[in-house]
């Protein structure tokens, strides 16, 4: 839905919302009086905006502040900040929720004017518990994945695990998802003669599925349910 310089997108698959003031998000230059708020003030303003519009942030916390930058054709190396994004991430029972379907981004423009709210979240209910795959087993699963098992160590290929965290994965807000996928988020650096020091993030399914579960429609309908994605 678009009216003038404003647009509103509602994702029925996840009850997520994305509102944008395009006049403020498409700024390419800034005048002498242009000013973005300090980060601490931006976080307070963001919380007020989310509360005013009735967004549920009980399971979300501010994660970081990022900036939109632009440059001119005459001086491409001189980049200026034209907007700032206050980003939130979600948790479920203390575990982080990864992926594109679990985040809040509030964009502020000149004089802290609200430019954008992206609220991607599916409210979840706990159905039960399970024992996750052990971290060492998750690394072994990653090692056996064709993307990594085909690397030629004799030719100097190396994979360095930098971090891993247990949590849940949320698919794109445009996709139907019946459950958050338990997964390890593994950050690694792949170093090969062709692609030196290449950063990758992979998710390893943290629950070993039975044959019956693998065939069930709600699992088969989600390609992200495969062991490594």
């Amino acid at each position: 839905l678009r009216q003038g310089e404003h647009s509103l997108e509602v994702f029925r698959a996840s009850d997520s919302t994305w509102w944008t003031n395009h006049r403020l998000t498409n700024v390419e230059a800034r005048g002498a009086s242009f000013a973005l708020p300090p980060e601490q003030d931006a976080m307070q303003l963001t919380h007020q905006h989310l509360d005013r519009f009735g967004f549920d942030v009980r399971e979300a916390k501010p994660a970081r502040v990022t900036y939109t930058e632009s440059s001119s054709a005459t001086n491409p190396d001189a980049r200026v900040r034209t907007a700032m994004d206050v980003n939130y991430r979600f948790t479920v029972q203390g575990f982080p929720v990864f992926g594109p379907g679990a985040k809040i981004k509030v964009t502020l423009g000149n004089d802290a004017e609200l430019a954008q709210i992206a609220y991607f979240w599916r409210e979840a209910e706990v159905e039960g518990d399970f024992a996750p795959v052990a971290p060492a087993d998750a690394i072994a699963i990653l090692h056996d994945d064709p993307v990594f098992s085909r690397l030629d160590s004799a030719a100097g290929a190396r994979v360095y695990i930098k971090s891993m965290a247990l949590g849940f994965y949320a698919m794109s807000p445009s996709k139907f998802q019946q459950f958050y996928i338990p997964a390890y988020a593994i950050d690694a650096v792949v170093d090969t003669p062709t692609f030196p020091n290449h950063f990758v993030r992979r998710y390893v399914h943290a629950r070993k599925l039975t044959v019956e579960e693998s065939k069930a429609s709600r699992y088969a309908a989600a390609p992200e349910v495969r062991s490594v994605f």
Side-chain angles (χ1 to χ4, degrees):
L1 176 64
R2 180 155 184 167
Q3 183 175 13
E5 59 196 19
H6 300 91
S7 67
L8 176 64
E9 188 170 359
V10 178
F11 300 87
R12 295 181 60 187
S14 61
D15 291 330
S16 296
T17 303
W18 190 353
W19 173 87
T20 305
N21 181 333
H22 295 275
R23 174 179 60 84
L24 298 176
T25 56
N26 294 330
V27 174
E28 296 182 356
R30 46 186 283 177
S33 61
F34 188 97
L36 296 173
E39 290 189 3
Q40 192 61 38
D41 293 347
M43 289 186 177
Q44 294 178 357
L45 287 169
T46 294
H47 185 78
Q48 293 172 9
H49 287 310
L50 294 171
D51 184 65
R52 177 161 59 98
F53 290 111
F55 289 111
D56 186 359
V57 296
R58 289 174 296 176
E59 296 181 281
K61 293 182 179 180
R64 60 175 180 160
V65 175
T66 56
Y67 293 88
T68 300
E69 298 180 336
S70 66
S71 60
S72 64
T74 57
N75 191 4
D77 294 329
R79 304 188 65 81
V80 295
R81 293 175 172 177
T82 57
M84 64 191 308
D85 301 321
V86 179
N87 301 277
Y88 285 63
R89 300 301 300 186
F90 285 89
T91 60
V92 171
Q93 292 191 314
F95 291 95
V97 184
F98 316 112
K103 70 175 184 178
I104 301 172
K105 182 171 74 173
V106 177
T107 304
L108 302 175
N110 185 31
D111 290 333
E113 189 174 357
L114 181 62
Q116 178 178 235
I117 295 180
Y119 182 90
F120 301 160
W121 181 239
R122 303 168 178 85
E123 187 175 351
E125 296 181 358
V126 178
E127 289 188 351
D129 53 20
F130 67 95
V133 171
D137 292 337
I139 295 295
I141 293 171
L142 183 70
H143 177 272
D144 292 339
D145 185 74
V147 173
F148 297 95
S149 64
R150 293 172 182 169
L151 294 174
D152 187 358
S153 59
R158 297 290 185 271
V159 178
Y160 302 96
I161 304 298
K162 295 300 183 179
S163 66
M164 64 185 302
L166 177 62
F168 297 92
Y169 184 85
M171 296 161 58
S172 166
S174 63
K175 294 183 178 181
F176 288 99
Q177 183 174 8
Q178 293 179 295
F179 61 97
Y180 286 124
I181 303 167
Y184 284 99
I186 301 178
D187 292 333
V189 172
V190 179
D191 188 19
T192 69
T194 307
F195 298 101
N197 298 320
H198 179 62
F199 173 83
V200 297
R201 165 168 278 200
R202 291 292 184 269
Y203 299 96
V204 175
H205 204 295
R207 181 185 177 190
K208 187 174 292 185
L209 301 179
T210 66
V211 175
E212 290 73 17
E213 287 175 331
S214 299
K215 293 179 179 179
S217 60
R218 67 173 185 165
Y219 287 95
E224 285 82 356
V225 168
R226 60 185 182 271
S227 296
V228 179
F229 56 97

